[in-house]
Amino acid sequence: MLQPKIETIRAKKLMGKKIQMSLADNKTRALFQSFMPSRHQIKNKVNADVICMQVYNTSLNFKDFTLNTVHQKWAAVEVTDFNLVPDDMEIFTLQGGMYAVFLYKGTPAAFGPTFNYIFNTWLPASAYEVDNRPHFEILGEKYKNDDPESEEEIWVPIRLKQPL
């Protein structure tokens, strides 16, 4: 099955839009419909990639994650600085750290088995545990929205397991 690459990144400056939601009350489509037409207003993008980020409550234990767990969802791009922020955009500094990066190919609707594999198979068998930092996906040039040939990178924040 999927084997991730382990990457350590520096902090990233992000600019975009956010919304509060849960998986049961999924507002991702509305968020991106609001963000995508206005992203051209951001003049200092690092690249053309779009970042879809989830910011969870710091007290969340992922064993307790449900369809009703409320979190912040972001549609954003990485920027060089926060000097020019369009009126309808917000800023976020993504803390650096270690991530397990999985390449996902398929539609968002078919992601469930991959999510289950990452959190219920790969993670428990690995030397890592989920770290309490934002999770994100990079929607790069191979991302095609609802196309089964679409590709994106799934970035899961990790740290070495703490001894019992």
Side-chain angles (χ1 to χ4, degrees), residues 47-59:
N47 55 40
D49 294 345
V50 174
I51 294 175
C52 180
M53 179 175 65
Q54 296 75 233
V55 180
Y56 299 102
N57 187 314
T58 54
S59 64

Side-chain angles (χ1 to χ4, degrees), residues 83-98:
N83 295 340
L84 298 168
V85 182
D87 289 340
D88 61 343
M89 300 282 176
E90 298 184 64
I91 59 173
F92 186 91
T93 300
L94 177 67
Q95 177 185 344
M98 191 168 30

